[in-house]
Amino acid sequence: MYAIKLYPYRRANMYFEDQIEFKRHYKVLCYFAWEMVRDTEVAEDLVQDAFMAYLNNKHKISSDPLAIRSFLYSAIRNAVYNQSRKSKTIQKYLDRQYANEADEIDYEHKIIRAEFMAEISRVVDGLPDSCQRIFKLSYLDGLSNQEIADKLALSINTIKTQKQRALQVLRKKIHPEFFFVILLLVLTNN
């Protein structure tokens, strides 16, 4: 899975509002780019390039947050397609046999997945440390309750209790449309 780093800036002369906009979208866009290229450094470069394209075209783009986000997603997608034409390093997109409709569906799924993962990350980062660690070991790393108990030297009941607490917090804090998806993942993971 993609590991998120701090926000590197290529240009220090960005306005404060632009830096906030960059921080707001950085993690989810890096994950989105990583989903397509499976290379952390390339994904970060694509996000930074997309944001520079946004800054250069900011006067042409609506200030509506959805328009900005849409521009950034499209810029990354187009950069991946352009890069794949020029380079053999992204074979996944050079070798694809799907029609344009399938590409659009795949693109939309990647956006949804990136938004979903950002929402999960936001809520999980707010959990208490022990609860957060158990949640990640169970639902992200796929370890069983017994494996987690052995690894952390805790009882299985403690593991189960912490997982239940995490799910309760998720239920309270996550947007309702995402919680159903989480519930499906939890039920298929047990």
Side-chain angles (χ1 to χ4, degrees):
M1 172 158 259
Y2 175 73
I4 304 209
K5 295 183 180 179
L6 295 177
Y7 313 107
Y9 298 110
R10 282 196 177 158
R11 294 188 181 177
N13 62 349
M14 278 199 291
Y15 292 110
F16 180 71
E17 296 83 21
D18 295 331
Q19 290 179 2
I20 290 172
E21 196 70 32
F22 183 76
K23 287 180 181 181
R24 180 179 304 135
H25 297 290
Y26 185 75
K27 287 181 182 182
V28 67
L29 291 173
C30 281
Y31 181 79
F32 172 70
W34 180 84
E35 278 282 308
M36 291 192 284
V37 298
R38 298 289 187 196
D39 183 312
T40 302
E41 290 179 18
V42 172
E44 289 172 349
D45 286 345
L46 289 168
V47 170
Q48 290 176 2
D49 291 345
F51 198 79
M52 292 311 296
Y54 162 71
L55 291 176
N56 292 334
N57 294 292
K58 188 175 176 180
H59 62 282
K60 298 177 188 176
I61 302 167
S62 168
S63 61
D64 178 50
L66 290 176
I68 295 169
R69 199 165 65 199
S70 179
F71 176 87
L72 293 169
Y73 278 123
S74 295
I76 291 169
R77 180 188 65 175
N78 292 337
V80 169
Y81 288 155
N82 289 338
Q83 185 179 15
S84 71
R85 280 188 221 121
K86 296 175 185 174
S87 172
K88 296 290 182 188
T89 59
I90 306 176
Q91 289 298 314
K92 178 180 176 185
Y93 287 93
L94 289 174
D95 297 336
R96 291 190 69 174
Q97 299 296 318
Y98 300 113
N100 284 338
E101 294 94 28
D103 284 343
E104 285 301 315
I105 291 169
D106 190 42
Y107 169 67
E108 290 170 4
H109 287 156
K110 285 183 181 359
I111 290 174
I112 292 167
R113 183 172 170 81
E115 294 287 331
F116 174 73
M117 293 306 289
E119 182 70 12
I120 297 296
S121 178
R122 180 188 66 81
V123 175
V124 170
D125 287 346
L127 293 172
D129 290 339
S130 62
C131 193
Q132 185 180 130
R133 184 162 188 205
I134 290 170
F135 180 88
K136 287 178 179 179
L137 288 171
S138 178
Y139 299 113
L140 299 180
D141 296 341
L143 297 181
S144 70
N145 290 346
Q146 185 62 54
E147 291 170 322
I148 298 169
D150 293 343
K151 183 173 186 161
L152 300 179
L154 298 171
S155 73
I156 291 181
N157 285 335
T158 301
I159 302 303
K160 289 178 181 179
T161 301
Q162 291 294 327
K163 285 172 63 175
Q164 287 174 342
R165 285 183 183 156
L167 289 175
Q168 287 172 348
V169 170
L170 284 171
R171 187 178 299 121
K172 289 177 186 173
K173 292 188 176 185
I174 201 156
H175 294 309
E177 63 268 14
F178 288 137
F179 188 74
F180 180 69
V181 176
I182 294 171
L183 191 57
L184 284 175
L185 290 173
V186 169
L187 292 175
T188 58
N189 200 16
N190 284 335

